């Protein structure tokens, strides 16, 4: 320490010879590293590990809605109403399961399936079967339409039953 004698008073420097500002001291650097680690862990938790907040009762309600559509599947005259209802159920379910926007058209949804790797193959296959069934329903006749509607229903049931484990009880 440096000392100086001025007017009968000893004056000492308040810093040592080598003063480091607080922002380069080890305690501050350690605090910053700890804060960054906590932030990264929080982001990883938020993005990847958080549980779905949709209860299992939603899945059961969706399954009930699909079963309700079975009555429409037997009526060829209501094929368009059936398809609209089923695709709405599918889009809502995909939104709650994989956070895919419900505003996509059927073609855009098929493109999303090509890009997203977190969606299981069986879900992509079954949803594609449902979404491509509209052409047969629009332009088909009789047995082909009824058969397509029943296939679409079973595909939707397959999606729901295969993804039930993603929802908390």
């Amino acid at each position: 320490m440096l000392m100086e004698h001025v007017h009968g008073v000893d004056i000492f420097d308040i810093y040592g010879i080598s003063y480091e500002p607080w922002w380069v001291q080890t305690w501050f650097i350690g605090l910053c590293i700890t804060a960054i680690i906590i932030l990264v862990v929080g982001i990883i938790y938020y993005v990847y590990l958080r549980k779905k907040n949709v209860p299992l009762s939603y899945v059961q309600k969706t399954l009930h809605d699909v079963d309700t559509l079975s009555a429409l599947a037997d009526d060829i005259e209501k094929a368009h109403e059936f398809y609209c209802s089923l695709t709405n159920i599918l889009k809502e379910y995909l939104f709650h399961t994989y956070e895919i926007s419900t505003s996509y058209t059927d073609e855009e949804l098929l493109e999303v399936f090509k890009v997203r790797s977190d969606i299981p193959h069986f879900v992509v296959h079954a949803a594609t079967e449902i979404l491509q069934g509209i052409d047969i329903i629009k332009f088909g006749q009789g047995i082909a339409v009824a058969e397509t509607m029943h296939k679409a229903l079973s595909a939707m049931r397959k999606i729901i039953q295969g993804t039930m484990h993603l929802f908390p009880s």
Side-chain angles (χ1 to χ4, degrees):
M1 289 236 180
L2 261 109
M3 184 177 84
E4 198 174 319
H5 190 72
V6 178
H7 302 293
V9 178
D10 291 334
I11 299 176
F12 296 94
D13 284 342
I14 58 171
Y15 298 116
I17 293 181
S18 65
Y19 168 72
E20 290 182 343
W22 58 271
W23 57 87
V24 293
Q25 292 181 8
T26 54
W27 67 267
F28 182 73
I29 294 172
L31 184 67
C32 288
I33 291 172
T34 304
I36 289 171
I37 289 172
I38 290 172
L39 182 67
V40 168
V41 168
I43 290 171
I44 289 172
Y45 173 78
Y46 180 76
V47 173
Y48 294 107
L49 303 177
R50 66 187 162 133
K51 289 224 175 213
K52 304 286 183 209
N53 291 329
V54 181
L56 189 58
S57 61
Y58 171 77
V59 177
Q60 293 164 339
K61 178 197 164 302
T62 304
L63 200 52
H64 176 71
D65 292 346
V66 169
D67 291 337
T68 305
L69 282 178
S70 310
L72 287 178
D74 295 327
D75 188 357
I76 296 170
E77 299 300 318
K78 295 186 178 181
H80 184 71
E81 180 184 344
F82 166 83
Y83 178 76
C84 288
S85 298
L86 186 62
T87 54
N88 286 338
I89 290 171
L90 173 66
K91 289 175 182 180
E92 285 291 323
Y93 192 78
L94 290 174
F95 172 74
H96 288 298
T97 311
Y98 300 105
E99 297 174 349
I100 297 174
S101 174
T102 57
S103 64
Y104 288 126
T105 64
D106 296 350
E107 292 79 23
E108 291 171 336
L109 197 53
L110 292 172
E111 291 299 316
V112 169
F113 290 149
K114 292 177 185 175
V115 176
R116 296 272 303 262
S117 61
D118 61 325
I119 303 172
H121 181 69
F122 78 93
V123 172
V124 172
H125 179 71
T128 302
E129 186 177 325
I130 293 168
L131 296 172
Q132 290 178 339
I134 187 61
D135 294 332
I136 295 171
I137 292 172
K138 278 183 181 174
F139 305 111
Q141 297 288 327
I143 297 172
V145 173
E147 195 174 291
T148 301
M149 290 193 296
H150 285 288
K151 281 183 182 178
L153 275 175
S154 66
M156 188 65 206
R157 283 190 191 102
K158 183 178 178 182
I159 290 172
I160 294 170
Q161 291 167 349
T163 56
M164 279 180 121
H165 67 281
L166 298 175
F167 296 94
S169 301

